[in-house]
Amino acid sequence: MKKLIVVLLLIMITVSCSSQKAYSDFDISYSKSGGYAPIYENLLIKGSDVQYSFEGQEKKIKTTFQLSNEEILNLNQVLNENNFRHIAEDHKKIYDRVAIAINVKKGKNSANKTDASMIMPQSKKNWDQVVNAFQNIINKNVKNTQ
């Protein structure tokens, strides 16, 4: 009986560890979370594979899809043109608002940026264009599953 419990425990630990791998094994991520009525939106890109999830506003969506080479190139071009790595974040404390975080792990745009404390005025236009590129990917690929 003890061996059965140990085996079940090991299986549960293995499954729980591998389910978290999706949230750490990505090239680019976009997440939006927080607010008075909290929402949680995640877009994880690994190569051309994408995992998307949304929870909030009485909705729960979880889907996967593929990006075309053109879409990947377009996203990288938007990151390049808007100097993603050099977008300046403000560091004032702001609470109870929806914040967006973008994490690029590979390439010359490797950086983590968030508007949780706002974006400096000189970088606001660049930030908005990068956010719009991610939002366009979501709108194009997720609208049919809602």
Side-chain angles (χ1 to χ4, degrees), residues 129-143:
Q129 290 178 356
V130 170
V131 169
N132 286 338
F134 284 98
Q135 202 58 57
N136 289 338
I137 290 172
I138 292 168
N139 293 342
K140 179 182 175 191
N141 294 286
V142 180
K143 65 181 178 185

Side-chain angles (χ1 to χ4, degrees), residues 87-145:
I87 289 176
E89 300 169 73
D90 198 344
H91 296 290
K92 297 176 187 171
K93 299 286 186 200
I94 299 177
Y95 300 98
D96 296 327
R97 65 184 291 271
V98 175
I100 296 172
I102 300 172
N103 184 356
V104 178
K105 285 190 172 180
K106 31 188 292 198
K108 67 181 185 179
N109 289 303
S110 296
N112 299 319
K113 300 292 178 180
T114 182
D115 69 352
S117 295
M118 303 300 277
I119 298 294
M120 296 299 279
Q122 69 270 19
S123 296
K124 183 75 170 116
K125 181 180 175 189
N126 296 32
W127 175 258
D128 290 343
Q129 290 178 356
V130 170
V131 169
N132 286 338
F134 284 98
Q135 202 58 57
N136 289 338
I137 290 172
I138 292 168
N139 293 342
K140 179 182 175 191
N141 294 286
V142 180
K143 65 181 178 185
N144 296 328
T145 62

Side-chain angles (χ1 to χ4, degrees), residues 23 30-35 37-44 50-65 98-100 135 138-139 141-143 145-146:
Y23 295 102
Y30 167 92
S31 65
K32 185 191 274 188
S33 61
I39 64 162
Y40 305 95
E41 184 173 38
N42 291 296
L43 180 79
L44 305 171
V50 180
Q51 292 183 7
Y52 174 81
S53 63
F54 178 91
E55 189 172 339
Q57 303 167 346
E58 299 181 10
K59 291 184 209 173
K60 194 170 189 176
I61 302 167
K62 191 170 189 175
T63 187
T64 59
F65 56 90
V98 175
I100 296 172
Q135 202 58 57
I138 292 168
N139 293 342
N141 294 286
V142 180
K143 65 181 178 185
T145 62
Q146 295 181 3

Side-chain angles (χ1 to χ4, degrees), residues 5-101:
I5 292 172
V6 170
V7 169
L8 289 175
L9 183 62
L10 288 173
I11 290 172
M12 287 180 10
I13 291 171
T14 303
V15 169
S16 66
C17 290
S18 65
S19 68
Q20 294 300 313
K21 185 179 181 194
Y23 295 102
S24 62
D25 186 25
F26 58 84
D27 299 331
I28 300 172
S29 74
Y30 167 92
S31 65
K32 185 191 274 188
S33 61
Y36 288 113
I39 64 162
Y40 305 95
E41 184 173 38
N42 291 296
L43 180 79
L44 305 171
I45 303 170
K46 177 70 175 178
S48 63
D49 298 324
V50 180
Q51 292 183 7
Y52 174 81
S53 63
F54 178 91
E55 189 172 339
Q57 303 167 346
E58 299 181 10
K59 291 184 209 173
K60 194 170 189 176
I61 302 167
K62 191 170 189 175
T63 187
T64 59
F65 56 90
Q66 296 278 315
L67 290 179
S68 68
N69 287 338
E70 183 180 324
E71 289 172 309
I72 294 168
L73 289 172
N74 184 48
L75 180 57
N76 283 316
Q77 182 177 352
V78 169
L79 292 168
N80 286 335
E81 289 173 354
N82 290 288
N83 297 317
F84 176 73
R85 188 177 184 147
H86 299 289
I87 289 176
E89 300 169 73
D90 198 344
H91 296 290
K92 297 176 187 171
K93 299 286 186 200
I94 299 177
Y95 300 98
D96 296 327
R97 65 184 291 271
V98 175
I100 296 172

